């Protein structure tokens, strides 16, 4: 497959004041585009040509670091844009997902605190995740472009804690960015859609 940059599912200014137009222009148009361009160049002539993005991410992990980093980040960002929406967050979750978060993670408020703590505690660049592994929800964090796919889990929500995701709007206040993300940006319907497919 060839990597292509997806359109944002909302206008560049739609997530303000929590994520600015300038952040999305840089993050989507420059950073995500670079992962697409570099990923396509690195894919040429490898055993992974013609494979699905998930297969490329899993197959290149530990074997082809440059391809993995760009493919992983492409996968992560395809979903990251959909994990946010205008007027997101809130306290009303789709029923099956709310039940599972209550069962496995001690409720929405505890999830939000633990998920934000995972993101704040990731040293340097990386991601915080909500994933399904062996039928249970779990919170984790990964460095750089790594994601739960390579650890036997299925990610259903992720937040980018690379500085380019928040520095224009929050400078070094990563915890404030994470609070804004969980309280005001999460697209719970998309999280539920992914959860229902696991």
């Amino acid at each position: 497959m060839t990597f292509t940059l997806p359109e944002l599912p909302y206008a560049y200014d739609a997530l303000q004041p929590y994520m600015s137009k300038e952040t999305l222009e840089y993050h989507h148009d420059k950073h995500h585009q670079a992962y697409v361009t570099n990923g396509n160049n690195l894919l040429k002539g490898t055993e992974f040509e013609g494979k699905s993005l998930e297969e490329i991410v899993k197959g290149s992990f530990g074997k082809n670091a440059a391809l993995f980093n760009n493919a992983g980040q492409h996968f992560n960002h395809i979903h990251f844009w959909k994990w946010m929406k205008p007027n997101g967050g809130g306290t009303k979750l789709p029923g099956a997902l709310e039940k599972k978060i209550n069962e496995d993670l001690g409720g929405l408020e505890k999830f939000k605190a633990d998920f934000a703590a995972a993101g704040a505690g990731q040293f340097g660049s990386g991601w915080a995740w909500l994933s399904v592994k062996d039928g249970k929800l779990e919170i984790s964090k990964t460095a750089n472009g790594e994601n739960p796919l390579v650890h036997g889990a299925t990610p259903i929500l992720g937040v980018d804690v690379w500085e380019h995701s928040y520095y224009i709007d929050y400078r070094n206040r990563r915890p404030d960015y994470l609070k804004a993300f969980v309280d005001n940006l999460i697209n719970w319907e998309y999280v539920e859609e992914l959860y229902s497919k696991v």
Side-chain angles (χ1 to χ4, degrees):
M1 70 168 293
T2 304
F3 300 167
T4 55
L5 184 71
E7 294 285 322
L8 286 178
Y10 32 71
Y12 284 93
D13 62 359
L15 302 181
Q16 294 183 141
Y18 309 107
M19 188 173 285
S20 68
K21 179 173 185 256
E22 186 181 7
T23 288
L24 281 175
E25 285 171 344
Y26 273 93
H27 196 172
H28 176 270
D29 297 4
K30 305 280 193 249
H31 291 280
H32 192 175
Q33 180 63 63
Y35 302 135
V36 167
T37 302
N38 293 335
N40 281 328
N41 289 334
L42 292 161
L43 192 58
K44 287 175 190 160
T46 70
E47 64 191 284
F48 303 109
E49 276 190 297
K51 299 269 172 70
S52 73
L53 180 56
E54 282 196 25
E55 287 172 322
I56 295 166
V57 170
K58 290 177 185 174
S60 62
F61 182 59
K63 293 181 186 166
N64 184 332
L67 176 59
F68 171 76
N69 287 333
N70 286 279
Q73 283 290 73
H74 182 43
F75 175 92
N76 297 348
H77 283 82
I78 285 171
H79 292 289
F80 183 58
W81 311 129
K82 295 179 186 175
W83 279 321
M84 298 183 289
K85 71 172 188 176
N87 305 306
T91 56
K92 283 198 174 304
L93 270 60
L97 186 61
E98 182 176 39
K99 182 170 180 286
K100 193 70 173 155
I101 285 175
N102 288 341
E103 280 174 14
D104 293 350
L105 302 173
L108 178 61
E109 291 309 311
K110 186 171 188 313
F111 157 74
K112 281 161 55 169
D114 291 348
F115 183 77
Q122 170 55 40
F123 184 77
S125 300
W127 293 74
W129 301 99
L130 174 65
S131 306
V132 181
K133 186 170 186 179
D134 301 325
K136 291 189 87 93
L137 293 181
E138 65 175 23
I139 293 168
S140 62
K141 60 187 179 182
T142 59
N144 299 320
E146 204 171 301
N147 65 48
L149 285 177
V150 301
H151 300 293
T154 303
I156 60 171
L157 174 65
V159 62
D160 188 347
V161 295
W162 286 59
E163 285 189 341
H164 62 236
S165 191
Y166 63 86
Y167 215 83
I168 289 169
D169 302 324
Y170 298 91
R171 296 298 184 253
N172 63 332
R173 295 177 290 114
R174 188 190 285 185
D176 292 352
Y177 157 67
L178 290 162
K179 182 170 174 22
F181 182 86
V182 296
D183 287 345
N184 302 288
L185 291 175
I186 295 176
N187 179 357
W188 284 111
E189 288 72 27
Y190 186 60
V191 179
E192 163 75 10
E193 182 187 322
L194 294 177
Y195 173 63
S196 70
K197 291 176 181 171
V198 177

